[in-house]
Amino acid sequence: MSRPREKRETGEQDLFRSRLDQIINMKHELVRLAQAIDWPVLEERFGAVYSDGPGMPPLPTRLMAGLAILKHTFDLSDEELCARWMENPYFQYLCGEEFFRHELSFERSSMTRWRQRMGEERITALLQESLAVAVKSGAMKPADTRRVIVDTTVQPKNVMFPTDAKLVNRARERLVRLAKKAGLDLRQTYVRVGKLALIKHQRYAHAKQFKRANKALRKLKTYLGRTIRDISRRIAGQADLEASFKWPLYQASAVLEQRQRQRGRKIYSLHAHEVECIGKGKAHAPYEFGVKVSIATTLERSKGGQFALHAKALPGNPYDGHTLATVIPDMEKTIGNEIGRILADAGYRGHNAPESHKLRVFTAGQKRRVTPAIKRQMRRRSAVEPVIGHIKAEHRMGRNYLAGEQGDAINAILAAAGYNFSLLIKWFRLLLWLLITALQSRPRSSAA
């Protein structure tokens, strides 16, 4: 694939169209953010995935990176972002447009393909750029990144609550649908009786009549087992059908055999098999279904706010303390600075931090090596909690709609970057008001 044709400021005029810089407020916070971002650096990082060759050139990097920033800064879905982009000249200016456009210059699906093409490693450039803009604009000092607070949270996946009855019935429906598409004539599809058994199970479980509910669940499992065996007999010896049914049959068999409280991985969703069950000890949500994510923020609050320094998805639901071996080197690579002190909660006891950082990690309740100054700093450890809350509630980490493990990793990074860019927008707005106040309070010279 050839390289993208990057947007450049041309200064051209059009007789029938007005330039965006002539119809918008050039002191607006989004305009100042667009001017502060180092777009050539992003073009170099993201352009590394392309090579000079034949084919239609991809969309400009500034357009796609700008859309990713806007999506997670303002908590918009792809569809909402497309609608807002056509209405908002400031959105278009951030994405590199010179003239106001009344139609989309891209397809909505282009955003999905761009995220998948960039991957976790290159998407991190947006988080790094948000921190670079914060330093350049004075919202944060480089020294603020030397002392950090680390914590983990759960990034829930967009899946329904996984009950055994729902999973079993959904697995049967999926196999029946695939068999019909492949032209297989099954002995029985159990469409009517399967739906009836699911309704009965839900009603009995709601009424706490668990013997009757378990009887309906056994019926659902019987229907699924019969469907699995019927399909297996009919596709035997047909290599193409065996290949197409291999994964659905494996998932259906796993759902049929898995038991409550069993050890090891379980399937909680058929379309998102990477989902894990994670318990964080919350009274209102004992179990969450998604992936564990590590979030790091500065110890001291910067002038522009409490910036997020690092975000990383951790598949496999590892113990919090065992995440530092990968989180610390990755964090230092992201911020471009060596970490001098790391504060964490008691869940990080017995951590496996790199040897160079073992004595730099302090956990809640620790007694040894804790000086009075460190004790005072430990009171700031809970400052990471509102950062996590804002990222989840306002920047699309509260429910992840991106597919696969790669989608988990990308969404976590973009959510943290969106949170930082929202702080920068508030910072630029504050600077503007301070400038206006200073100008208004300046004494006027008396007329001669």
Side-chain angles (χ1 to χ4, degrees):
M1 180 181 289
S2 60
R3 291 182 175 272
R5 295 174 182 170
E6 305 296 358
K7 290 181 178 292
R8 294 289 181 266
E9 183 71 26
T10 62
E12 295 179 353
Q13 300 291 336
D14 192 303
L15 181 62
F16 302 103
R17 295 186 298 172
S18 296
R19 290 178 54 84
L20 283 174
D21 53 15
Q22 295 174 351
I23 63 176
I24 63 176
N25 178 13
M26 295 304 290
K27 294 181 180 179
H28 191 274
E29 50 268 17
L30 277 178
V31 175
R32 301 184 68 182
L33 177 62
Q35 294 170 347
I37 294 175
D38 195 344
W39 298 107
V41 171
L42 295 181
E43 292 169 1
E44 182 181 356
R45 286 286 301 274
F46 294 138
V49 302
Y50 304 105
S51 59
D52 293 322
M56 183 176 179
L59 293 167
T61 298
R62 178 167 178 177
L63 171 63
M64 303 311 298
L67 290 172
I69 291 171
L70 292 170
K71 173 184 172 68
H72 286 266
T73 301
F74 295 98
D75 190 13
L76 302 172
S77 65
D78 289 352
E79 292 82 0
E80 291 173 328
L81 177 59
C82 293
R84 289 273 297 272
W85 192 88
M86 286 192 295
E87 300 170 353
N88 197 322
Y90 294 99
F91 280 20
Q92 297 189 17
Y93 184 87
L94 181 73
C95 294
E97 298 292 340
E98 290 188 82
F99 300 94
F100 186 78
R101 301 184 67 106
H102 296 274
E103 71 285 335
L104 287 176
S105 59
F106 57 93
E107 294 289 338
R108 183 196 60 79
S109 57
S110 299
M111 300 169 63
T112 301
R113 290 194 293 270
W114 185 80
R115 288 190 295 260
Q116 293 173 344
R117 185 176 293 122
M118 292 303 130
E120 177 186 5
E121 183 179 355
R122 289 185 174 83
I123 286 291
T124 308
L126 292 178
L127 180 58
Q128 291 175 320
E129 185 59 25
S130 69
L131 299 174
V133 173
V135 171
K136 286 191 297 184
S137 63
M140 183 176 69
K141 295 182 294 185
D144 292 343
T145 62
R146 290 189 53 80
R147 295 176 179 177
V148 303
I149 310 169
V150 182
D151 201 1
T152 59
T153 185
V154 179
Q155 178 178 250
K157 199 78 167 182
N158 184 35
V159 298
M160 64 179 181
F161 191 87
T163 62
D164 290 340
K166 283 183 181 178
L167 279 173
V168 169
N169 189 63
R170 184 61 61 88
R172 181 195 55 77
E173 289 178 341
R174 191 182 184 195
L175 287 178
V176 170
R177 186 167 56 249
L178 289 174
K180 184 177 180 181
K181 188 176 180 180
L184 297 180
D185 186 18
L186 300 181
R187 293 175 60 189
Q188 191 172 349
T189 60
Y190 305 100
V191 172
R192 185 180 59 83
V193 293
K195 182 178 180 181
L196 182 61
L198 177 62
I199 293 173
K200 283 185 176 181
H201 175 274
Q202 293 172 332
R203 288 178 177 174
Y204 290 144
H206 179 71
K208 294 184 171 56
Q209 299 177 8
F210 295 114
K211 286 187 177 180
R212 290 177 174 176
N214 289 333
K215 183 178 179 181
L217 177 59
R218 288 195 297 272
K219 278 188 178 180
L220 288 168
K221 289 186 174 182
T222 300
Y223 299 154
L224 176 59
R226 289 176 181 175
T227 305
I228 291 173
R229 292 189 295 272
D230 193 9
I231 291 177
S232 300
R233 285 192 299 267
R234 293 180 187 278
I235 66 174
Q238 304 182 53
D240 53 341
L241 288 178
E242 286 180 345
S244 60
F245 275 91
K246 183 177 180 180
W247 177 246
L249 284 175
Y250 166 76
Q251 282 192 314
S253 301
V255 167
L256 187 62
E257 294 170 4
Q258 65 189 17
R259 295 289 181 268
Q260 192 178 17
R261 298 186 181 89
Q262 76 174 37
R263 306 286 293 181
R265 290 295 300 269
K266 294 176 67 176
I267 293 180
Y268 297 101
S269 175
L270 296 176
H271 75 275
H273 60 274
E274 70 277 2
V275 168
E276 299 155 358
C277 179
I278 303 172
K280 297 292 284 185
K282 300 177 184 177
H284 65 282
Y287 299 101
E288 296 176 277
F289 299 92
V291 66
K292 184 176 283 190
V293 174
S294 172
I295 300 289
T297 184
T298 57
L299 173 62
E300 301 296 337
R301 188 182 188 277
S302 305
K303 289 182 179 180
Q306 195 81 28
F307 286 91
L309 299 180
H310 182 258
K312 186 177 181 63
L314 304 166
N317 190 16
Y319 168 65
D320 287 359
H322 294 167
T323 64
L324 293 182
T326 56
V327 166
I328 291 176
D330 194 60
M331 194 190 315
E332 291 185 337
K333 181 181 177 183
T334 299
I335 64 179
N337 200 355
E338 186 177 3
I339 301 172
R341 185 168 296 163
I342 302 165
L343 305 183
D345 61 13
Y348 283 81
R349 289 176 182 172
H351 57 79
N352 64 344
E355 288 296 331
S356 57
H357 292 73
K358 277 190 178 296
L359 300 180
R360 303 181 192 180
V361 179
F362 296 89
T363 60
Q366 182 175 330
K367 302 299 182 183
R368 295 182 179 179
R369 301 185 297 107
V370 179
T371 63
I374 296 175
K375 277 186 179 180
R376 289 193 299 271
Q377 292 173 0
M378 285 300 295
R379 296 174 191 160
R380 284 277 304 166
R381 191 209 61 79
S382 59
V384 72
E385 301 297 343
V387 174
I388 293 173
H390 284 297
I391 293 176
K392 294 182 74 171
E394 302 165 10
H395 301 284
R396 303 190 70 78
M397 191 188 281
R399 197 165 184 85
N400 178 26
Y401 295 87
L402 306 186
E405 289 189 6
Q406 186 187 51
D408 293 334
I410 290 174
N411 192 75
I413 296 170
L414 287 177
Y419 167 75
N420 286 348
F421 281 117
S422 69
L423 292 182
L424 289 172
I425 289 173
K426 295 175 184 175
W427 172 250
F428 287 130
R429 189 184 301 132
L430 176 63
L431 289 182
L432 177 60
W433 281 110
L434 291 176
L435 177 61
I436 293 173
T437 304
L439 290 175
Q440 290 178 345
S441 61
R442 189 168 57 183
R444 298 179 181 178
S445 59
S446 59

